[in-house]
Amino acid sequence: MELNKRILLAIDPGNELSAYVVWDGLKIQDKGKVPNHHMLKVITAYGLNYPQGEVCIEQIAHYGTGMPAGRTVFDTCIWIGRFVQCLEYLFDREPRLLERRRVKSHLCGDSRAKDGNIRQALIDRYGEPGTKKAPGMLYGVSADVWQALGLAVTAWEVEDGKD
């Protein structure tokens, strides 16, 4: 990896597990879905391996649906705060926070898109995941890692305030 090459860690946080993708703008360098306490270790290793690397975390947003937020939403917010604190304390940097509707708008052209639409937009862009014998670039991407990849691609391509 070139010293000055741009690299991004994107995190799709959850209340117990979080998905992540390390993205270089062309391909996935690392990915996974891990328990949140392990995600702190992923952040630490990333910061040590890529001292100039960027970080983007999906931000929880209120969509005005009138539905109450449950405990899992608040637990996720606590973990987002812990991830931000880890970055600030260990590496003196703040992550970029992006709402999921920005990802949906950027990749699908519609903020009302569903997770399956994000997955399909990524497949349309980068090709089928493939098989073990013939893996594609997206081979091994599953579950919430799709959302982390969508976040990575969006954060890579969209500057703050632009879309």
Side-chain angles (χ1 to χ4, degrees):
M1 176 79 43
E2 295 174 33
L3 188 58
N4 294 325
K5 188 172 182 185
R6 186 175 175 206
I7 194 92
L8 171 78
L9 169 65
I11 302 170
D12 178 26
N15 63 313
E16 294 178 357
L17 302 170
S18 292
Y20 72 94
V21 166
V22 176
W23 179 248
D24 71 3
L26 298 173
K27 63 182 177 177
I28 297 167
Q29 297 294 319
D30 191 19
K31 65 185 177 308
K33 185 173 179 181
V34 297
N36 285 338
H37 66 276
H38 184 76
M39 190 69 227
L40 294 168
K41 294 175 184 177
V42 170
I43 291 169
T44 301
Y46 173 80
L48 292 171
N49 290 326
Y50 306 104
Q52 301 305 313
E54 302 169 48
V55 180
C56 184
I57 302 173
E58 183 182 302
Q59 173 72 303
I60 298 290
H62 182 278
Y63 296 112
T65 62
M67 298 296 292
R71 180 176 179 91
T72 59
V73 171
F74 293 107
D75 288 347
T76 301
C77 291
I78 290 169
W79 278 105
I80 291 170
R82 290 189 70 186
F83 298 156
V84 169
Q85 182 181 32
C86 179
L87 283 160
E88 289 177 344
Y89 180 75
L90 293 176
F91 306 108
D92 196 29
R93 72 175 106 149
E94 289 186 33
R96 184 169 168 196
L97 300 173
L98 278 181
E99 295 178 7
R100 184 168 295 213
R101 67 177 145 206
R102 292 282 309 275
V103 175
K104 292 175 179 182
S105 291
H106 180 70
L107 295 176
C108 304
D110 187 345
S111 64
R112 296 168 299 173
K114 305 290 183 208
D115 289 352
N117 301 113
I118 293 172
R119 179 183 183 277
Q120 189 59 54
L122 292 167
I123 290 171
D124 291 346
R125 196 183 263 220
Y126 299 110
E128 290 290 332
T131 63
K132 189 173 185 176
K133 286 186 176 183
M137 189 187 95
L138 302 176
Y139 182 74
V141 176
S142 63
D144 295 331
V145 176
W146 286 108
Q147 305 318 311
L149 178 58
L151 180 66
V153 170
T154 301
W156 191 272
E157 296 176 354
V158 177
E159 295 178 42
D160 283 326
K162 297 180 182 176
D163 205 3

